[in-house]
Structures are given as structure tokens and as C-alpha cells.
Amino acid sequence: MKNLRFQYEMTLTLDREVRDHHVLLRCRPMENEIQHLTSYACEVSPKILLHLSQDGFGNLGYTGVIQKPHSLFAVQASGIVQKIEGRCTDFHPMYRFPSVRTMLDPGLRAFLHEVEERLGTPVRTFQDVCFLMQCLHEHFEYVPGATTTATTAGEAFAGGRGVCQDYAHIMIALCRLAGIPARYVAGMMIGEGATHAWCEVWLSDVWIGLDPTNNCLAKDSYIRLSQGRDFVDGAVDRGCFVGFASQTQQIYVKVEEIEDNPSEEISTV
Amino acid sequence: MRELIEHREGINRLMARYGVKFGIYKNNEFHEQLFPFDPMPRVISAKEFEFLQKGLTQRVDALNAFLADVYGEKKIVKDKVIPEDFIFSSKGYLPQCEGIVPPKKIYSHISGIDLVQAKDGEWYILEDNLRIPSGASYPMIARELTRRASPRTFINNRIEDNRGYASMLKQMMDNVNTGGINVVLTPGRYNAAFFEHSYLAERSGAILAMPQDLFVENNYLYYRQYGGSPLKVGAVYRRISDEYLDPMCFLPESLIGVPGIMDVYRSGHVALINAPGNGVADDKGIYYFVPYMIKYYLGEDAILKNAPTYLAFYEKDRNFILEHLNRLVVKDVSEAGGYGVIFGSDLSAEKLEELKQIIINEPRRFIAQEVIDFIDLDIVDESNPGDHLVPRKADLRAFVLTGEKTMVWPSGLTRFSRNPDSFVVNSSQGGGFKDTWVLSR
Amino acid sequence: MGIISLEKADHLFWLGRYTERVFTTLNTFFTYYDKMLDIEEEVYKKFCEKLAIPMVYKDKEDFIRTYLFSENDPNSVYSNILRAFDNAVVLRDELSSKTLSYIQMALDCIEHAKDSQALVYDLQPVIDDLFAFWGCLDDNVEDEECRNIIKCGKYLERLDLYMRLDYSYRQIEKEYNKFLNRLHKIRIGYNLSEVDKLSEIINLGEDWKSRYYEAINALWSVF
């Protein structure tokens, strides 16, 4: 059991004023068998009414509209998450099949084939999947800016470089190709920086978190914000507005472990 | 009948007067065309209609049960009646709709079921359209105008009035309305079916709304009214396809959607007609399984037959397809509107081989069907009018409305190919239409 | 119905303006056309001047064909009936198919008259259809607000055209009063000071012409 204190800050700067700006914020950690939210606060500016809803993937999100013209939107969320021992078993068959960002691709197919040759068996077990993750980690280089949020697993793989989202996409595509259901998870990990993405694979009737970017298991240093078949489903925030403006998004995330468990308190302002 | 033929031109002129048109995009330009109308109706006897009615009601009830199951418990998959592949990797399956229970649990309120009649009199289902089936407005207005042009025909024949479609539509909308007004949501006047959107709104008494007229506030949907406070909307007969419906949920670049409408819908605060996500049940791949659905959900045998269909996904079927490709019609499950349909008999030996290879590589993508030798209907020869009639291939789109119970509209859109050698009847590919008469006795 | 969106209110207003524009300019065209036959061939230049239409026409024949039928001439009768149609076609549920059909027929009539050798004769149905449209509107459209908005657009346009086309003071005053009557009934915001200025000018009687440009400007600034 671990207690993680987190801070999430997002600032959206628009180069021109926009109005009727709809936002969807998935900055409230999910509650499931392995994580529990013990305290939470969220504030947005300009101040608007937020409505909490759940989507088809089980993600919680705040939605709201900023009607007045504005050129800045900021979100600040903070709280404490308790990571607990447990089994995530919310399986859905959609995680077996390729999705928009994880389409089948000859390059990925060849890579899987190569890994299976080195392994001497098809990828089946937990050890096999870990080996696959290691191979990917060695083969792929972490280079920010080499890809965008629209890059598919196949494209990223062909380029050989990318960020956490690409690692996750490629890993998911490879696992599904090997017949192992896999899903995308977005969230935060211990330390300071930006939001993070990893994946989960369905083995022996339980979801197991894997972080291919860091070649490790994604366990109690990770806070889950959202999940889906890939980035498209699981994006941490989404928006649309009326106006012609280009936007710059800045995200700051800080997660640290704390000793004791303070009193429960959940609020949104 | 002779009188009808004489009035062909007159009726078509009246159609022009009322703007009975459909739009098509050619080289990125919008053009509106008159939908060519042939005055010779398709006639269905009372007894035959009773049979069709039973079969269609059964089919649509099963399809609605299937949709509730897919987005709910998924029993049919767990019981291995339908392989997961045909559901969860289908383009029409929308995980965003998981767990949503639509008002009154109805998913397909308006179903357009395409049928053909074979030369031996047997009816076959060609495809189900459970998303935005269009075309009901055409026989409706055609009937109105034909009655004006040729009153005697309606004195001498006992024909079910099909103009009640509007009130069926209204009843259906009222049934699921969660409190508020009914609107027909159109993407705008440059949509292929804009005539229909505006006509159905007028006739059913719903408000024709453009996307910018609607907005979401505090998890309810409102209509922006001029000079007054916003009006709550209880039911939306939306003619915007799923992926464009809500940029916050589906395609973020959609400019014709209503941001947040899916959240309102999920909360049960508005009815969407038809439910988003219905595409999973009218895909050409899932078609194969409809008779199994009927058995599974209703415990009955299908009254109306599917055309004999083979799924390339199953090895046994695939081998059959590869062996008999030259006599089968192959359909790409991801295409619609008459596109992606290939007749094996039209292909050279070389092209046949190419197609076989494509099928082997992507078996999930294709189905193959026996070519049904369906009956021709007579149409007035356009190149040689007068009373000269020529036979053309025609299908029937039946409209089935599910409100408190499921009802079949006693009419339908009969589409025909204007090309003597073609089986393709779609209006987007130059087809014309006829009225469909159901006799009262 | 009685439920109109802001967008539809806008379409209603412009439908009123464009139908009136087609109606009055076409009727005026008929008069000038008659003169052009054998009395004063170049009278079309005066017509254009009065309506502030740029003189882009090569000669009499070019004027007749272009001004009536060209879709590339923004001032043509055809362009104006198309705009009327564009505004009408999105209002089927408000206006009814019946009312809408007269605009459709007027449009179709102009399209079919392109090669006509007897223009006034062949275009007469356009005038008839517009009369029928207005009659049908009064008879069939239940919602008063909806009719008021269309008429507000119609009388604004008519006043503008009558002032430009030298109609008698009596007629201008009459149309002005009709416009004012509708203006007070609708819920669209308008510029009161411009209306006051216009009143002041119209109240000058026959002398209103001394402030012609001011009057036209005030009228255009009402909305």
C-alpha cells in the first residue's frame, strides 16, 4: 500500500479569443481495485460549472463550457491516491482488436515474428510479454518531437523514435497481434514532469500494467486517469471551440509518495 | 394504370414544383437532382403484406434485442452464437455507447429493410439499415401528387393510404420523448437528403433544427429560440451520422455536431433517433447472423429469408467462395450505398484471381452471396414514352417503426435501376423510384 | 409552429427582402424593356444608375441577358431569386411545402426563360408566383411573428427600391407606414435613432428628396 500525493496543472493558451469552448477533463483519478482516491480538489479558470460523467470506457470526466470570449484556460487538480493490492478484472472484448492508432502493420508483424524466433515460441506468457517489452524498449528510442498525437503505432515504429504514447501504442499493437488483449492507460507516474502513458495486458484473467517506455511493470507508482483502446479513447483532455485560434498546451505534473493517510476529503470548486 | 402512365410527366412536374430532389456531390460541388419517378407502382396484396409485416417486425425486434445485448450484457457473444470479431472489430461498433440505456430501451426506431422478390415469388432480405435509413418522404409525396393527377385510380383500387407515415413518426418520437420538443436535426441544406429532412419535419410537426440551433446546458439539450427563452428538447430525430454527432465524443473535427449531446443522452435526458452505435447491427458481415439472432432472442425461426450468404471469415465458406467466385456477388462489408459490390460474372480470369487473393488476405472484410434472380418491374420507357413499358431490376425498402410496438409502414420505397443491365438501384447511382401500394384487401 | 430559431428569423427577414427585390425590379425591368424596344434603346443605363448597379454591360442585349439570367452577376434577377430560394428552402417546416412551392416555381420559370424570345410574356409567371407566395403566406402560415418578420424585410426592401426608383411621395409614405407597423411588432433589435431620422425625413413631405442619400443610409442602418 502506498499513498501518492499528486498535482496536475494544465494551461491552454490561445493566440486569439475563442468562445463556446467545450472542455472534457479527465484529471480525476479513477477508482478501481488497485487505486483509491482519498482526497481531491479541482479548480478551473475561467470559473465554470463542471459536470462529472462517465464514458463507455469507464473513464470519469468533467465537462463544461466557457461561453465568454477568452484566450486562456487553466486547470489545477490535486489530491491523494491510495494504491492498493488488487486485481483489475474489467475485461472487454474490444481490447482484442486493432484500433485507429494500433492498426495492423507489416513492420510490426515482422518485428513480432523476429521476437518470437528469438524466444523460440509464440508470445503467450507473462515472461514472453516482458521479453517482448524489453525487445521493444531496446529497439525504440525515446525522442520527444519525433511523433505527434496522430501518429499510429506502425508509423512510430517505422520511424524508430517517439514518446511514451508511441511506446504504449506499439506494445498494444504487438500484444493484440500476438492474440493478447491490451489497452491504453493515461495517467501520471511518480516524479515531476508531464502526464504519462502506458498499457495493460490481459493475462490469466487479470490486467497487468506494463510501462514499455521504462521497461518495467506499472504498479504502485502510477496513477491512472483514463483508459481506452488507444490515445484517441483515453486522451486526458479534449475540447472544441468557436473561433480560429491555434492553441498551446502546457502540462505540469508532480507525484510524490507520502507517509500517512490524511483524512478523506473530496471536493471540486 | 393507363391513366397513371399518361400522367407520368405531369406527376414529375408536380415533383419539381415541390422540390422533390436529392443532392449529390460531383467534383466537390453540390448539385440537386430530381429523383426520377415512375408512375407504375409496385403492388403488394393484403395477404402478402401481412406476411411481410410479420417477418419484418420479427427481424427488427431481434435486431433491437441484439443492440441492447451488445451495448449491455453481451450474452450472444458469451454464448458463442456470434464471433466477437463481427461485433467488436466492426466499424459500426461504438464503445462510447457502452452502458447507455436509451429511453424505452429502443435502439432502432426507424429501420429501413431492403428486400427483393425472386422470380418464384419468395422475398429475400438484402440488407438492414438501422442508422439513418432515408427515402420514406418520396413515396409519401408521390402518393399525394399521384392522387391529384389520377384520382380515378384511387377510386377504382383499394389502396392503403401511406400518408400516415408522418403521424407514425410523431407517435414514435412522442413515445421516447423525455420531456420537451421533437426536432429533426439536419446537417444543413447541402446534405443529399435535405428535402426529406425538411419535409418530414413539416409533416410530423417537429422543428427542423440545424446544429447551431441546439446547445447543451447543465446536462440538458436546448433549442435556441429567437426572442424567447431556450426550449428543452426531448427527442432528436437526427439525420447526422454517428461520427459527426458530437465532437466531444466522436470526431473532434466535426463542425456539424452538437458538443456534449452524448452526455445528455447517456444521462437519459434526451432520446436520439436512431441510437448511435446501431451500425454494429447493420453491417454486411453481421447480416449473416440475423437469422441466428432471431432464434437466440425470440426463440423463433426467421420468417423472411436472407439471401444465401457465405462468410469469407469461416474457412469452409471461404473455400466455397473461392471455388464459385464467378457466379457469386462479393460485397465489401465496410462499404455502403451500392459501392464495393462486385459481380464475379463481370470479372476477367485475371481480375478473378486478384479478387481471390484480396479475399484470402482480408477474409473478415468480405461476404459473398448467390445472385438472386429477382423479378423485374415494368417502368415507362423514358427514351420512348407513350405506353411503352420496359422491365428493370427493382428492390423494396420497407420502413419499420418501433415505438410502443413495432409497426411496418404499409408502403415503402421501390427503387429501380434505369440501366437495363444493372442490378444497382441506388439513387446516388442514377436509380429512380416508384410508389409501393399495399392493397387493403 | 411558433418556434423559430434566431437563424430562421434571419432567413425569414432576407426571404422578405429578396422576394420583394425580384418582384419590384422585374416589374420595373418590364417597363424599361418596353422602352428599350424602340423608344429609348439606352434607357437601361438610367435603370442601372438609379439602382446603383455598376455598368458592366456591353450593350442593350448584354444587359437584358446578363441582368435577367446571369448567375455571375450579383445584381441579376436570377441571383436574387436564387438568394430568395436559399432562404426559403430551409424554412419548409415554417412556411409549408405549399407556400415554398411558389418560390420554387418562380425560380424554375426564370431558369426556363433563358432562351425566350418573348421575355415579358414568359416571365409573367414569376410575378404571378410571387403574388401567390405572399397570398399563401398570409393564408397558411399561422405564426404571426413569422409573417411579421418576412413583411418587415419586404417593406424595408420596397421602401428602398421605391425611393431609388422615383415613386411618388404618396406611395413612399404608404410603404414607410407599412414598414413601421411591422417593425414595431417584431422582436429583432433595431436602431431607433436611424428610424427617427428616417421619420423626420419622410415627414418633410415632397421635400424628402433633398435628403435622399441620408434617407437611404438611415434605412440601411436600421438593422
Side-chain angles (χ1 to χ4, degrees):
Chain A
M1 197 166 83
K2 224 181 205 180
N3 288 307
L4 301 173
R5 186 206 300 280
F6 71 90
Q7 219 180 312
Y8 168 90
E9 292 174 17
M10 193 273 284
T11 315
L12 192 69
T13 319
L14 300 137
D15 66 350
R16 245 172 277 180
E17 288 204 324
V18 300
R19 62 184 172 82
D20 289 333
H21 185 175
H22 289 255
V23 292
L24 165 62
L25 310 167
R26 291 183 180 133
C27 55
R28 182 186 170 109
M30 281 172 81
E31 300 220 48
N32 63 9
E33 295 86 345
I34 56 169
Q35 77 180 24
H36 187 52
L37 188 63
T38 54
S39 102
Y40 184 71
C42 175
E43 229 177 290
V44 295
S45 148
K47 274 205 186 343
I48 48 165
L49 201 68
L50 291 176
H51 170 79
L52 188 66
S53 64
Q54 191 167 30
D55 70 8
F57 304 95
N59 299 316
L60 286 177
Y62 288 109
T63 53
V65 198
I66 310 129
Q67 270 150 351
K68 281 184 282 190
H70 61 285
S71 55
L72 190 82
F73 176 65
V75 183
Q76 285 195 314
S78 59
I80 294 166
V81 166
Q82 191 175 55
K83 298 294 294 190
I84 38 188
E85 279 296 321
R87 293 161 54 87
C88 267
T89 56
D90 54 331
F91 182 69
H92 192 292
M94 69 176 152
Y95 297 121
R96 281 190 210 284
F97 304 100
S99 57
V100 187
R101 297 281 191 273
T102 62
M103 280 301 169
L104 290 183
D105 174 274
L108 293 171
R109 219 185 269 273
F111 184 71
L112 179 69
H113 188 70
E114 200 182 298
V115 172
E116 290 185 332
E117 289 223 316
R118 282 169 65 186
L119 202 59
T121 66
V123 173
R124 286 276 178 274
T125 64
F126 175 63
Q127 278 76 18
D128 299 344
V129 172
C130 289
F131 181 70
L132 175 64
M133 175 165 71
Q134 193 187 330
C135 292
L136 167 62
H137 186 75
E138 284 163 8
H139 179 92
F140 200 70
E141 199 184 344
Y142 188 90
V143 179
T147 54
T148 70
T149 52
T151 308
T152 64
E155 290 161 0
F157 185 79
R161 299 178 306 170
V163 293
C164 57
Q165 176 191 313
D166 305 303
Y167 279 94
H169 279 162
I170 297 168
M171 189 65 194
I172 291 165
L174 291 169
C175 287
R176 289 182 188 158
L177 196 56
I180 300 167
R183 70 181 177 187
Y184 182 92
V185 186
M188 304 176 280
M189 70 178 285
I190 206 151
E192 216 175 340
T195 45
H196 190 50
W198 60 96
C199 65
E200 283 182 323
V201 292
W202 181 253
L203 287 167
S204 315
D205 295 339
V206 65
W207 286 113
I208 296 171
L210 296 173
D211 179 358
T213 311
N214 297 303
N215 191 29
C216 65
L217 293 180
K219 292 183 79 174
D220 50 8
S221 307
Y222 292 74
I223 298 175
R224 174 196 311 253
L225 290 174
S226 62
Q227 62 197 27
R229 291 166 301 179
D230 55 29
F231 170 80
V232 181
D233 300 336
V236 175
D237 31 54
R238 238 179 127 145
C240 69
F241 49 72
V242 178
F244 294 94
S246 60
Q247 42 184 335
T248 325
Q249 191 187 44
Q250 273 190 313
I251 293 176
Y252 170 77
V253 169
K254 189 177 172 187
V255 179
E256 56 191 341
E257 191 178 348
I258 52 167
E259 285 307 314
D260 50 354
N261 184 13
S263 62
E264 300 217 354
E265 166 197 339
I266 298 185
S267 70
T268 54
V269 181
Chain B
M1 293 290 168
R2 170 156 234 101
E3 201 180 76
L4 282 176
I5 300 170
E6 280 166 16
H7 286 101
R8 176 177 168 274
E9 239 179 279
I11 300 169
N12 271 300
R13 249 200 319 274
L14 280 174
M15 298 258 187
R17 166 185 179 135
Y18 289 102
V20 185
K21 290 178 181 177
F22 68 96
I24 48 169
Y25 280 91
K26 247 188 224 158
N27 309 322
N28 282 326
E29 257 183 62
F30 181 77
H31 296 273
E32 273 191 318
Q33 297 187 346
L34 292 170
F35 194 1
F37 172 69
D38 183 80
M40 296 288 288
R42 177 198 283 279
V43 181
I44 297 175
S45 72
K47 206 172 145 220
E48 202 168 17
F49 182 70
E50 202 187 306
F51 167 76
L52 288 174
Q53 200 168 17
K54 272 194 199 137
L56 289 164
T57 304
Q58 178 197 51
R59 191 172 178 97
V60 168
D61 284 344
L63 286 163
N64 264 309
F66 171 68
L67 282 161
D69 194 19
V70 165
Y71 292 108
E73 291 182 75
K74 305 174 184 33
K75 285 189 297 199
I76 201 161
V77 186
K78 288 174 191 151
D79 290 339
K80 303 202 182 324
V81 178
I82 301 178
E84 282 179 352
D85 301 66
F86 284 91
I87 298 174
F88 303 106
S89 73
S90 154
K91 259 208 248 170
Y93 167 72
L94 300 178
Q96 291 86 346
C97 300
E98 277 290 343
I100 296 179
V101 182
K104 303 263 165 98
K105 295 196 178 122
I106 300 165
Y107 288 78
S108 190
H109 312 75
I110 306 168
S111 313
I113 313 290
D114 294 347
L115 308 106
V116 290
Q117 191 172 24
K119 290 211 165 113
D120 61 6
E122 185 93 66
W123 287 92
Y124 290 96
I125 304 281
L126 273 192
E127 67 181 49
D128 306 295
N129 299 277
L130 310 181
R131 283 165 289 174
I132 310 176
S134 69
S137 60
Y138 298 108
M140 238 171 113
I141 193 161
R143 181 72 59 88
E144 172 82 31
L145 303 181
T146 311
R147 287 172 70 93
R148 286 186 207 171
S150 179
R152 192 178 299 277
T153 309
F154 295 86
I155 297 170
N156 297 339
N157 298 282
R158 288 278 165 239
I159 304 155
E160 289 276 348
D161 197 346
N162 73 355
R163 294 169 299 172
Y165 185 74
S167 53
M168 284 173 75
L169 206 56
K170 182 178 184 317
Q171 264 177 33
M172 181 276 289
M173 286 193 261
D174 289 345
N175 179 52
V176 288
N177 189 304
T178 58
I181 57 169
N182 292 330
V183 303
V184 174
L185 174 60
T186 173
R189 80 156 278 214
Y190 297 109
N191 180 276
F194 182 76
F195 162 75
E196 170 152 307
H197 306 166
S198 61
Y199 189 68
L200 291 180
E202 179 198 2
R203 294 288 135 150
S204 66
I207 303 289
L208 182 68
M210 306 272 175
Q212 62 271 23
D213 296 337
L214 300 180
F215 69 97
V216 169
E217 200 171 276
N218 294 336
N219 215 21
Y220 282 92
L221 183 69
Y222 292 93
Y223 179 80
R224 230 184 280 274
Q225 195 189 183
Y226 142 83
S229 51
L231 286 170
K232 206 202 280 178
V233 179
V236 182
Y237 176 13
R238 47 95 184 196
R239 300 291 301 244
I240 292 177
S241 55
D242 292 356
E243 56 270 42
Y244 291 99
L245 194 57
D246 183 351
M248 294 302 286
C249 185
F250 304 114
L251 286 180
E253 64 269 27
S254 170
L255 297 174
I256 53 171
V258 181
I261 195 172
M262 283 299 288
D263 271 344
V264 180
Y265 173 58
R266 176 176 285 276
S267 307
H269 294 169
V270 74
L272 295 181
I273 297 161
N274 289 343
N278 279 6
V280 69
D282 70 3
D283 166 289
K284 290 188 174 75
I286 210 76
Y287 163 87
Y288 175 91
F289 297 100
V290 178
Y292 299 94
M293 284 176 205
I294 295 173
K295 190 85 197 162
Y296 183 77
Y297 294 113
L298 309 177
E300 298 167 9
D301 289 323
I303 297 167
L304 282 163
K305 288 185 183 161
N306 268 8
T309 304
Y310 309 95
L311 273 192
F313 178 79
Y314 290 135
E315 198 185 344
K316 196 170 140 235
D317 282 19
R318 185 162 63 243
N319 291 337
F320 182 90
I321 295 170
L322 297 175
E323 214 169 297
H324 301 95
L325 198 56
N326 56 351
R327 70 152 209 245
L328 298 173
V329 48
V330 175
K331 295 180 178 175
D332 185 333
V333 299
S334 57
E335 300 269 7
Y339 296 94
V341 175
I342 307 156
F343 287 85
S345 54
D346 291 347
L347 299 183
S348 64
E350 201 183 331
K351 290 275 173 201
L352 269 175
E353 279 313 307
E354 257 176 54
L355 182 58
K356 280 184 190 172
Q357 215 43 58
I358 298 173
I359 294 172
I360 292 167
N361 290 339
E362 292 179 82
R364 163 72 180 88
R365 213 179 114 189
F366 298 98
I367 63 164
Q369 291 175 330
E370 299 286 356
V371 178
I372 298 172
D373 192 11
F374 53 98
I375 52 166
D376 294 317
L377 293 182
D378 282 341
I379 69 161
V380 180
D381 190 355
E382 288 168 75
S383 54
N384 178 22
D387 52 6
H388 190 64
L389 298 176
V390 288
R392 289 290 183 271
K393 294 291 175 219
D395 76 352
L396 168 65
R397 173 166 293 178
F399 288 86
V400 184
L401 268 57
T402 305
E404 251 174 80
K405 53 183 188 166
T406 299
M407 290 190 294
V408 182
W409 181 36
S411 184
L413 176 69
T414 294
R415 299 179 298 179
F416 60 87
S417 166
R418 285 157 77 211
N419 176 345
D421 307 316
S422 173
F423 282 80
V424 181
V425 298
N426 302 65
S427 58
S428 53
Q429 303 211 21
F433 83 102
K434 285 171 174 289
D435 191 1
T436 307
W437 291 0
V438 171
L439 301 180
S440 309
R441 45 167 196 231
Chain C
M1 301 284 98
I3 301 171
I4 321 169
S5 69
L6 204 61
E7 203 108 349
K8 275 189 189 166
D10 199 52
H11 286 300
L12 285 166
F13 178 76
W14 285 99
L15 174 60
R17 289 198 63 166
Y18 285 119
T19 44
E20 171 61 29
R21 192 173 301 177
V22 172
F23 181 82
T24 296
T25 54
L26 192 58
N27 265 325
T28 312
F29 173 86
F30 289 164
T31 318
Y32 279 76
Y33 178 76
D34 180 78
K35 278 192 195 154
M36 267 187 276
L37 295 178
D38 52 358
I39 302 168
E40 189 183 349
E41 285 206 20
E42 301 224 314
V43 73
Y44 70 91
K45 289 183 180 164
K46 284 185 195 161
F47 177 85
C48 292
E49 200 182 316
K50 285 185 179 172
L51 291 174
I53 295 172
M55 186 42 64
V56 292
Y57 314 101
K58 281 197 301 264
D59 50 32
K60 179 176 107 176
E61 269 316 303
D62 184 42
F63 167 74
I64 292 170
R65 296 291 150 188
T66 308
Y67 179 72
L68 287 178
F69 303 116
S70 170
E71 56 183 319
N72 300 318
D73 179 358
N75 295 302
S76 72
V77 175
Y78 184 60
S79 293
N80 285 319
I81 189 75
L82 270 182
R83 283 182 219 136
F85 178 78
D86 281 344
N87 283 289
V89 74
V90 292
L91 294 165
R92 186 186 292 271
D93 57 327
E94 286 303 324
L95 300 177
S96 81
S97 286
K98 207 173 181 181
T99 314
L100 180 58
S101 73
Y102 292 105
I103 303 285
Q104 177 83 55
M105 286 194 288
L107 170 64
D108 290 350
C109 174
I110 294 180
E111 279 178 351
H112 289 134
K114 275 191 173 124
D115 300 316
S116 159
Q117 294 306 309
L119 284 168
V120 180
Y121 179 85
D122 285 336
L123 288 172
Q124 180 59 40
V126 176
I127 302 295
D128 301 349
D129 290 337
L130 289 174
F131 265 130
F133 164 72
W134 287 328
C136 205
L137 189 77
D138 270 334
D139 240 32
N140 273 321
V141 178
E142 252 176 78
D143 187 48
E144 206 187 334
E145 181 80 22
C146 175
R147 296 199 307 266
N148 284 337
I149 300 172
I150 295 194
K151 286 188 178 168
C152 199
K154 172 177 161 175
Y155 293 129
L156 182 143
E157 185 72 25
R158 179 171 289 180
L159 189 55
D160 177 77
L161 290 170
Y162 280 17
M163 289 198 295
R164 291 171 191 275
L165 292 168
D166 297 330
Y167 274 69
S168 72
Y169 174 71
R170 229 184 56 81
Q171 273 168 304
I172 287 173
E173 193 192 20
K174 191 173 109 195
E175 296 305 325
Y176 173 70
N177 287 330
K178 283 196 211 164
F179 170 61
L180 221 51
N181 177 29
R182 300 291 168 175
L183 186 64
H184 293 321
K185 285 183 183 158
I186 62 168
R187 286 176 288 173
I188 299 178
Y190 57 87
N191 197 332
L192 194 63
S193 64
E194 299 295 335
V195 178
D196 288 345
K197 190 192 279 176
L198 192 61
S199 292
E200 187 192 312
I201 300 173
I202 302 283
N203 286 335
L204 293 174
E206 301 282 355
D207 280 346
W208 79 272
K209 274 209 166 158
S210 61
R211 294 172 70 183
Y212 173 82
Y213 289 106
E214 240 183 294
I216 298 272
N217 277 332
L219 185 61
W220 279 72
S221 313
V222 168
F223 291 105

